[in-house]
Amino acid sequence: MDVTFSIDGLDLHSKLSTYEVTAEVSYVQIIATMDGVRHPVPGSQKDAIVFSLFPMTEDEATLLYNKLSQYIVSVSYTNPKSGTTLIRSMYVDGEITHTFALKSVDGKRRYLGDTITLREC
């Protein structure tokens, strides 16, 4: 995939199976006046990345797990909305799973990962 994607220096762009960046908008408060009009109090916009990877060896899966186990990681990624590369602190939102897939002809076990979600701090 022709994007930049690394977690704490671990380059994963060539291992991406799926890659999605969304802008999550939140508001401090939304006030409804008596005429039924809603007035949002300015909030913030933060990115979330949902990705999955091609099957990984046990060593690759362990390396990724060790990075994600830090809970807050530095992520360098391509933002498709602007076409720029950003570096943000993000946290893991959800589970980190690796399911045994097969034992390859090279003798290494391969694992499939589920989707992983990272959210900007």
Side-chain angles (χ1 to χ4, degrees):
M1 203 173 284
D2 189 22
V3 296
T4 298
F5 186 66
S6 65
I7 298 173
D8 275 346
L10 177 62
D11 185 5
L12 296 169
H13 87 279
S14 64
K15 303 208 181 285
L16 287 172
S17 172
T18 61
Y19 177 76
E20 174 185 29
V21 179
T22 58
E24 297 180 336
V25 178
S26 64
Y27 298 97
V28 174
Q29 186 176 21
I30 299 176
I31 300 168
T33 53
M34 291 179 70
D35 60 358
V37 176
R38 296 173 58 152
H39 304 275
V41 177
S44 63
Q45 179 174 304
K46 297 186 178 202
D47 284 345
I49 302 172
V50 179
F51 68 97
S52 63
L53 302 168
F54 290 117
M56 298 177 288
T57 65
E58 189 167 16
D59 290 342
E60 292 169 331
T62 299
L63 188 57
L64 175 61
Y65 178 78
N66 289 338
K67 295 285 185 183
L68 295 176
S69 293
Q70 298 173 52
Y71 303 115
I72 296 178
V73 293
S74 176
V75 180
S76 176
Y77 64 100
T78 298
N79 183 328
K81 296 179 298 296
S82 63
T84 59
T85 298
L86 303 173
I87 300 172
R88 298 284 188 263
S89 291
M90 297 188 149
Y91 64 92
V92 177
D93 187 11
E95 298 176 354
I96 305 168
T97 60
H98 292 100
T99 306
F100 175 77
L102 56 95
K103 188 166 186 175
S104 180
V105 293
D106 61 7
K108 296 180 181 181
R109 290 187 294 263
R110 302 282 174 178
Y111 291 88
L112 296 174
D114 205 356
T115 58
I116 297 172
T117 302
L118 300 174
R119 296 191 188 286
E120 189 175 346
C121 296

